[in-house]
């Protein structure tokens, strides 16, 4: 069995499995083969559950043999971000604090296989299983979803398959790489401030952040509870729509879950977009955006205009405050959420001398948390402290309300908002690790929709040469120019178009993104490794 089946879309793989043209076991073995061959270089998966995945695949094949109806994801391998709990796999959230001690020297074990074992499935995991999906492993991530490059993983960074010296984005970088490198046709990630959309854009796949409350957070290891949302990655828009349709819906175990019926997202793909009003905020094309990104997004807008969409300017004046507001709200919530990781209930425990409880807390958290997590806990604790709550946290919440009102005003005039996902293409690993502010600014265009709780999607819209790729000089020989041109093309990096919709209007996102995808110059483009 070749691995070519994995290069088809999620709906096509499920259809071929249902027709018996290929077995779920063959599909799963193909995925496991790809993971084995590509993961060592790219670091997409932290753990692989091969035996469990094959057992699930055989169960799907047995269902088909008995003539029983199969689910919409039957036989389709789906990667899971390691912040999602599943009863048959470790969950580390990319952190040493959710691992056990090494048996040799008693230090925290840098082996995700020794991670915390949840006793239950997250709601989204249970829904994937019920739909017939195969779950081959847990994907790499920034520790507790705190990061924009996947370099904050406690184990190893994930690498962009378009250029392995560059970041795939974060925090759901491993999930994006799994899809971009063809290891699995789909994956789940979580998006707090852009952690699905940004890595989707940097790796050339489709990524969706649903409306806050559209997908249950039960079983997601929390970072910032008022912002976290689980969403899908897929190679194309229709595949992402099917994945979201499976995992969305009310869950009584999540108090923030919305009791609203799920729309037919996949059916929304293919609808006419003529007359759709698309707003373009000038605030998203500010200084600092790479010329290649600006040009690709504007070409995509021209393409949508050619399909009959009405493209008009809108204003989101409080966008400039989104980064500051987000990093106050998110760190405050992280400070509270991460207090549970203290060495008492699960994960790592570092014992202190003479049975000192406070000392045990300090040693456990000191050894288990990485620098970025410690930085955000300290910042969040500070802004919640007496004397600073009103000056920082309360003010940030007021700014959040103003950002929401900006979107409300814009959506009275337009149906969707279109903008870049990231101001740059994928940057080199290590370029921003010593500059936290520069790293935070990687999410400058994704944060506003997160603060407003709105659904947003990233769809590939172009390729641009890496900013430091060689360029041909007019004074050089023809042969040298051709060589440089080939190098620049080989190092071309993906660009994402961001579409933002009103709350619970995900179907509208899929309609517009699918329409663009059909005329996109990069439709079907794959990373060199895949």
């Amino acid at each position: 069995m070749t691995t070519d089946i994995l290069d088809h879309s999620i709906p096509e793989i499920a259809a071929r499995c249902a027709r018996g043209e290929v077995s779920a076991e063959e599909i799963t073995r193909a995925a496991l083969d790809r993971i084995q061959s590509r993961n060592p270089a790219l670091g997409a998966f932290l753990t692989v559950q091969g035996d469990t995945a094959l057992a699930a695949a055989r169960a799907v094949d047995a269902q088909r043999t008995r003539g029983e109806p199969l689910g919409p994801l039957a036989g389709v391998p789906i990667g899971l971000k390691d912040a999602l709990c599943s009863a048959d796999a470790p969950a580390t959230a990319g952190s040493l604090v959710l691992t056990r001690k090494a048996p040799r020297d008693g230090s925290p074990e840098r082996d995700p296989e020794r991670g915390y074992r949840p006793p239950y499935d997250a709601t989204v995991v249970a829904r994937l299983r019920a739909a017939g999906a195969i779950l081959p492993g847990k994907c790499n991530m920034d520790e507790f979803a705190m990061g924009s490059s996947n370099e904050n993983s406690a184990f190893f960074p994930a690498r962009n398959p378009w250029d392995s010296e560059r970041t795939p984005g974060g925090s759901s970088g491993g999930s994006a790489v799994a899809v971009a490198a063809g290891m699995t046709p789909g994956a789940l990630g979580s998006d707090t401030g852009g952690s699905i959309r940004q890595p989707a854009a940097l790796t050339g796949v489709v990524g969706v952040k649903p409306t806050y409350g559209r997908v249950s957070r039960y079983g997601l290891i929390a970072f910032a509870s008022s912002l976290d949302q689980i969403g899908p990655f897929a190679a194309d828009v229709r595949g992402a729509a099917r994945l979201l349709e499976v995992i969305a819906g009310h869950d009584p175990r999540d108090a923030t879950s919305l009791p609203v019926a799920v729309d037919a997202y996949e059916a929304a793909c293919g609808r006419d977009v003529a007359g759709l009003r698309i707003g373009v905020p000038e605030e998203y094309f500010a200084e600092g955006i790479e010329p290649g990104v600006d040009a690709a997004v504007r070409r995509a807008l021209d393409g949508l205009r050619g399909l009959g969409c009405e493209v008009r300017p809108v204003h989101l004046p409080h966008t400039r405050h989104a980064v500051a507001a987000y990093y106050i709200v998110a760190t405050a919530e992280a400070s509270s959420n991460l207090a549970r990781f203290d060495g008492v209930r699960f994960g790592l425990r570092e014992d202190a001398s003479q049975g000192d409880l406070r000392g045990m807390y300090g040693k456990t958290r000191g050894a288990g948390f990485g620098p970025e997590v410690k930085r955000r806990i300290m910042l969040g604790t500070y802004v919640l402290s007496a004397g600073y709550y009103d000056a920082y946290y309360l003010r940030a919440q007021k700014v959040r309300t103003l950002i929401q009102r900006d979107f409300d005003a814009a959506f009275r005039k337009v149906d969707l908002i279109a903008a870049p996902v990231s101001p740059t293409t994928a940057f080199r690993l290590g370029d921003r690790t010593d500059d936290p502010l520069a790293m935070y600014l990687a999410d400058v265009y994704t944060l506003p929709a997160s603060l407003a709780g709105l659904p947003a999607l990233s769809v590939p819209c172009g390729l641009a040469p890496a900013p430091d790729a060689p360029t041909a000089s007019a004074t050089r020989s023809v042969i040298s120019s051709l060589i440089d041109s080939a190098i620049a093309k080989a190092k071309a990096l993906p660009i994402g178009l961001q579409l933002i919709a009103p709350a619970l209007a995900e179907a509208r996102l899929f309609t517009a993104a699918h329409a663009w995808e059909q005329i996109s110059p990069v439709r079907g483009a794959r990373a060199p490794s895949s």
Side-chain angles (χ1 to χ4, degrees), residues 161-295:
W162 291 84
D163 180 348
S164 62
E165 296 304 310
R166 295 179 182 271
T167 174
S171 63
S172 307
S175 298
V177 173
V179 177
M183 299 182 214
T184 58
L188 294 189
S190 65
D191 190 309
T192 306
S195 291
I196 291 175
R197 289 162 288 159
Q198 186 246 19
L202 300 192
T203 60
V205 300
V206 176
V208 184
K209 185 201 88 69
T211 303
Y212 183 78
R214 174 73 287 185
V215 175
S216 171
R217 293 186 297 112
Y218 179 77
L220 173 69
I221 298 172
F223 163 17
S225 299
S226 75
L227 294 159
D228 296 342
Q229 271 296 274
I230 300 165
F233 291 90
D236 66 354
V237 174
R238 192 178 292 275
R242 180 171 293 197
L243 259 179
L244 183 59
E245 200 167 325
V246 166
I247 65 173
H250 180 245
D251 178 10
R253 293 173 296 184
D254 176 4
T256 64
S257 177
L258 298 173
V260 181
V262 178
D263 292 333
Y265 299 137
E266 189 176 353
C269 298
R271 292 176 185 164
D272 188 12
V273 295
L276 196 69
R277 300 169 301 167
I278 298 179
V280 181
E282 63 181 21
E283 294 84 359
Y284 283 57
F285 292 86
E287 183 180 356
I289 188 171
E290 285 180 3
V293 173
D294 186 293

Side-chain angles (χ1 to χ4, degrees), residues 468-516:
D468 53 356
T471 55
S473 167
T475 61
R476 300 171 67 183
S477 70
V478 173
I479 293 177
S480 295
S481 298
L482 289 173
I483 291 173
D484 276 357
S485 177
I487 293 173
K489 185 176 181 180
K491 295 295 185 182
L493 300 171
I495 298 165
L497 169 68
Q498 181 175 203
L499 297 174
I500 306 170
L504 297 172
E506 282 87 353
R508 196 181 302 170
L509 283 180
F510 288 120
T511 295
H514 183 267
W516 157 251

Side-chain angles (χ1 to χ4, degrees), residues 119-145:
Y120 67 100
D121 281 345
T123 294
V124 293
V125 173
R127 289 177 177 175
L128 289 177
R129 294 193 203 275
I134 310 301
L135 310 178
K138 306 294 282 293
C139 294
N140 204 352
M141 58 180 286
D142 284 298
E143 184 179 9
F144 284 103

Side-chain angles (χ1 to χ4, degrees), residues 77-457:
I78 303 294
L80 297 176
K81 185 175 182 176
D82 202 27
L84 292 168
C85 291
S86 58
D88 56 5
T92 70
S95 178
L96 293 182
V97 84
L98 278 172
T99 63
R100 292 168 286 171
K101 288 185 180 181
R104 297 174 300 281
D105 59 8
S107 64
E109 177 66 275
R110 290 189 182 273
D111 179 4
E113 290 286 356
R114 293 180 58 81
Y116 164 69
R117 294 270 175 169
Y120 67 100
D121 281 345
T123 294
V124 293
V125 173
R127 289 177 177 175
L128 289 177
R129 294 193 203 275
I134 310 301
L135 310 178
K138 306 294 282 293
C139 294
N140 204 352
M141 58 180 286
D142 284 298
E143 184 179 9
F144 284 103
M146 299 182 190
S148 302
S149 68
N150 218 134
E151 292 170 282
N152 291 333
S153 169
F155 306 105
F156 44 81
R159 295 176 177 273
N160 196 318
W162 291 84
D163 180 348
S164 62
E165 296 304 310
R166 295 179 182 271
T167 174
S171 63
S172 307
S175 298
V177 173
V179 177
M183 299 182 214
T184 58
L188 294 189
S190 65
D191 190 309
T192 306
S195 291
I196 291 175
R197 289 162 288 159
Q198 186 246 19
L202 300 192
T203 60
V205 300
V206 176
V208 184
K209 185 201 88 69
T211 303
Y212 183 78
R214 174 73 287 185
V215 175
S216 171
R217 293 186 297 112
Y218 179 77
L220 173 69
I221 298 172
F223 163 17
S225 299
S226 75
L227 294 159
D228 296 342
Q229 271 296 274
I230 300 165
F233 291 90
D236 66 354
V237 174
R238 192 178 292 275
R242 180 171 293 197
L243 259 179
L244 183 59
E245 200 167 325
V246 166
I247 65 173
H250 180 245
D251 178 10
R253 293 173 296 184
D254 176 4
T256 64
S257 177
L258 298 173
V260 181
V262 178
D263 292 333
Y265 299 137
E266 189 176 353
C269 298
R271 292 176 185 164
D272 188 12
V273 295
L276 196 69
R277 300 169 301 167
I278 298 179
V280 181
E282 63 181 21
E283 294 84 359
Y284 283 57
F285 292 86
E287 183 180 356
I289 188 171
E290 285 180 3
V293 173
D294 186 293
V297 172
R298 293 187 187 279
R299 283 195 297 269
L301 293 172
D302 289 340
L304 288 168
R305 188 181 286 110
L307 293 173
C309 297
E310 179 186 338
V311 179
R312 61 172 71 169
V314 294
H315 295 288
L316 301 172
H318 293 95
T319 294
R320 66 184 185 276
H321 302 302
V323 173
Y326 171 85
Y327 280 100
I328 291 174
V329 173
T331 56
E333 294 183 11
S335 172
S336 177
N337 277 325
L338 270 62
R340 71 193 68 177
F341 301 103
D342 54 11
V344 175
R345 285 155 286 195
F346 32 66
L348 182 69
R349 172 181 288 188
E350 291 288 333
D351 294 321
S353 60
Q354 301 176 344
D356 176 23
L357 183 63
R358 288 182 178 272
M360 186 271 285
Y361 289 165
K363 289 188 69 175
T364 297
R365 292 164 69 82
F369 289 143
E372 182 61 28
V373 172
K374 292 175 182 176
R375 180 183 295 118
R376 296 196 193 193
I377 289 174
M378 292 174 66
L379 178 58
T381 303
Y382 177 80
V383 301
L384 290 176
S385 61
Y388 298 100
Y389 180 93
D390 290 349
Y392 293 103
Y393 183 73
L394 186 60
R395 185 170 295 182
Q397 291 287 20
K398 290 179 179 179
V399 171
R400 185 178 191 176
T401 299
L402 293 174
I403 291 170
Q404 291 170 333
R405 289 176 180 172
D406 284 350
F407 280 109
D408 290 343
F411 284 128
R412 286 193 285 269
K413 302 175 183 177
V414 297
D415 303 305
L416 291 174
I417 289 172
V421 177
S422 169
T424 70
T425 51
F427 48 92
R428 288 190 179 277
L429 292 166
D431 274 1
R432 303 186 185 183
T433 52
D434 294 330
D435 189 348
L437 182 58
M439 190 73 78
Y440 297 165
L441 290 174
D443 297 328
V444 64
Y445 297 148
T446 55
L447 295 175
S450 294
L451 288 166
L454 299 177
L457 174 153

